[in-house]
Amino acid sequence: MIRRSGTEGPHLVDRHVGRRVCEKRIALGYNQTDLGQALGVTFQQVQKYEKGANRISASKLWDIARFFGVDIGYFFEGLTKAAQPGMAEDEAEPFVHDFPATRQTIEIGRLAPRLSSRQQKLVVDLMRELVEEAAEAD
């Protein structure tokens, strides 16, 4: 069984599933202790699940899905076939994992679709400008 995808660190699928757990937990207003208590594990274990450092067993993923009220498939949404070794590349972009899941990034993602296309473009332009200013300041 292949644990890593050629680079050091947790496997892409483990990171993706952990990221989806983290995003859903934050979106529902739970902290890691709440989820840990529901699963019968410590908040440190939840941290490891969310980072992908520890794989989530099928039974724990089932429990997490029931606690959050989502289907198991929710945790795999956005994961492309191209992300899996040996699979043909797909047209879809792979899920990006290089930014922190915070309450703010999740809220931005949740609110953005409610804006018109013009408003979304303005927000993206503003965010790009802020990022550029921050890069220049560094």
Side-chain angles (χ1 to χ4, degrees):
M1 177 195 300
I2 297 174
R3 171 74 173 138
R4 304 192 189 273
S5 59
T7 60
E8 289 302 310
H11 191 279
L12 175 66
V13 175
D14 297 325
R15 288 188 348 214
H16 179 85
V17 169
R19 174 69 175 236
R20 297 287 288 169
V21 168
C22 179
E23 289 174 350
K24 191 61 159 176
R25 175 184 59 75
I26 291 172
L28 293 174
Y30 294 113
N31 62 38
Q32 291 174 331
T33 300
D34 297 332
L35 180 55
Q37 288 175 346
L39 300 176
V41 301
T42 64
F43 80 90
Q44 293 96 332
Q45 182 62 41
V46 172
Q47 285 177 332
K48 291 177 183 180
Y49 287 157
E50 291 182 355
K51 290 179 183 177
N54 285 8
R55 287 183 171 171
I56 303 172
S57 70
S59 60
K60 286 292 184 213
L61 193 59
W62 176 263
D63 291 341
I64 293 168
R66 286 184 21 192
F67 181 71
F68 289 160
V70 298
D71 291 328
I72 292 281
Y74 167 83
F75 301 107
F76 298 95
E77 289 174 5
L79 189 63
T80 66
K81 291 179 183 178
Q84 300 174 20
M87 301 296 285
E89 286 202 23
D90 201 342
E91 293 295 321
E93 290 282 325
F95 189 79
V96 177
H97 296 275
D98 63 350
F99 61 92
T102 64
R103 292 189 190 285
Q104 293 81 12
T105 60
I106 291 169
E107 187 166 7
I108 289 168
R110 186 177 58 78
L111 293 174
R114 296 182 185 175
L115 299 173
S116 69
S117 294
R118 181 179 170 278
Q119 291 172 322
Q120 289 178 19
K121 184 184 179 321
L122 290 171
V123 169
V124 169
D125 290 343
L126 173 63
M127 291 175 74
R128 283 186 185 132
E129 188 174 317
L130 292 171
V131 168
E132 289 172 10
E133 286 178 12
E136 289 172 7
D138 291 341

